[in-house]
Amino acid sequence: MQTRHGENCPLDATVTILSGKWKSIILCRLTKQDQRFTELLRTLPGCTRRMLALQLSQLITDQIIAKDVDTTFVPTKTSYHLTDLGRSLVPIIQSMDAWGRQYITTLDNAEHGTSI
Amino acid sequence: MQTRHGENCPLDATVTILSGKWKSIILCRLTKQDQRFTELLRTLPGCTRRMLALQLSQLITDQIIAKDVDTTFVPTKTSYHLTDLGRSLVPIIQSMDAWGRQYITTLDNAEHGTSI
DNA sequence: CAGTATCCTTGGGGATACTG
DNA sequence: CAGTATCCCCAAGGATACTG
């Protein structure tokens, strides 16, 4: 496992896993409950079939999520869930989300002169 | 402040701030101590002058870091440091770094059949 | 020393159509 | 339903040269 600088920076590895236009939202959804492909697609307005499949497959490659395919029916039912590794990321995801929320309100307040 | 999906996802805001090829390493350095431009450049092999300036200016725009310029000398001395907002990110950066370290060793062990 | 300016390449992401 | 395959575009990033 190498990072993109040749240099060992675990932080960068974590950032890289989370980088991708739809990965944040996908992970927020999966943190709350397992999701079907179409259900994700439906609740991610603007995300195309192709992009959803891409982002999901990258998260699978990184072993953050996994999929279950139920072939007893046609058409097939697929659902995605967090792996153990993915679940170990949840606390960090939550603190990043909380920090982002705080960050946004801080900038908003500064912008509207509401600080001090 | 909007995220790139139009949807409100603070996690994505945080990820976006950290996304950029050299930002992780820069932040790791600045977490330990303030740094001069050239000092950063010297310790980031592969990073060009241009890229370093770009990544630094983005972090400044996002109000994560700030710079001091000492014009009492020619040539000018510039140094970069974390802002209050930046310092509030440090605990998260550290937990992301720790998680990344664990992630890498987990994958390495699985790869070499050292698990179980 | 600490940057810009210019030019070029690459890959992330969008639109659309097809398939098991 | 849950994806691929194709084609296209733009922004991130690299190489190199110039400057206050």
Side-chain angles (χ1 to χ4, degrees):
Chain A
M1 179 84 176
Q2 282 290 24
T3 52
R4 44 188 171 176
H5 322 96
E7 193 165 348
N8 185 18
C9 183
L11 170 60
D12 187 60
T14 307
V15 171
T16 300
I17 287 171
L18 298 174
S19 292
K21 188 165 178 183
W22 304 96
K23 290 184 189 172
S24 291
I25 307 196
I26 290 170
L27 289 174
C28 283
R29 298 275 191 282
L30 291 185
T31 295
K32 286 160 195 159
Q33 61 175 310
D34 298 358
Q35 299 266 173
R36 302 277 308 274
F37 185 88
T38 304
E39 183 63 10
L40 280 169
L41 197 60
R42 204 178 54 74
T43 59
L44 265 44
C47 184
T48 61
R49 225 172 214 45
R50 173 185 128 85
M51 277 311 296
L52 180 56
L54 242 180
Q55 305 280 293
L56 288 170
S57 78
Q58 289 172 9
L59 288 170
I60 290 172
T61 298
D62 289 338
Q63 303 188 38
I64 305 303
I65 67 174
K67 74 172 163 179
D68 290 312
V69 183
D70 182 350
T71 49
T72 58
F73 303 98
V74 176
T76 318
K77 298 191 175 190
T78 311
S79 78
Y80 294 86
H81 62 274
L82 296 177
T83 60
D84 287 346
L85 266 172
R87 270 189 296 277
S88 74
L89 238 186
V90 171
I92 292 179
I93 284 176
Q94 286 170 343
S95 58
M96 289 177 74
D97 196 64
W99 185 89
R101 200 175 308 273
Q102 183 59 48
Y103 174 77
I104 290 167
T105 59
T106 300
L107 290 199
D108 275 359
N109 288 344
E111 192 178 317
H112 302 104
T114 318
S115 61
I116 302 181
Chain B
M1 179 83 175
Q2 282 290 23
T3 52
R4 45 188 171 175
H5 322 95
E7 193 164 350
N8 184 17
C9 182
L11 170 60
D12 187 60
T14 307
V15 171
T16 301
I17 288 172
L18 298 175
S19 294
K21 189 165 178 183
W22 303 96
K23 290 184 188 171
S24 292
I25 306 197
I26 290 171
L27 289 174
C28 283
R29 298 275 192 282
L30 291 184
T31 295
K32 286 161 195 158
Q33 60 175 310
D34 298 357
Q35 300 265 171
R36 303 277 308 273
F37 186 88
T38 304
E39 183 63 10
L40 280 170
L41 197 60
R42 204 178 56 72
T43 59
L44 265 45
C47 185
T48 62
R49 227 170 213 43
R50 172 186 128 84
M51 277 310 297
L52 179 56
L54 242 181
Q55 305 279 293
L56 288 170
S57 78
Q58 289 172 10
L59 288 170
I60 289 172
T61 298
D62 289 339
Q63 304 186 39
I64 305 303
I65 68 174
K67 73 171 164 180
D68 289 313
V69 182
D70 182 349
T71 50
T72 58
F73 303 99
V74 176
T76 319
K77 299 194 176 190
T78 311
S79 76
Y80 295 87
H81 62 273
L82 296 177
T83 61
D84 287 347
L85 266 172
R87 271 188 296 278
S88 74
L89 238 185
V90 171
I92 292 179
I93 284 176
Q94 287 170 342
S95 58
M96 289 177 73
D97 196 64
W99 185 89
R101 200 175 308 274
Q102 182 60 46
Y103 174 77
I104 291 167
T105 59
T106 300
L107 290 199
D108 275 359
N109 289 343
E111 192 178 316
H112 301 103
T114 318
S115 62
I116 301 180

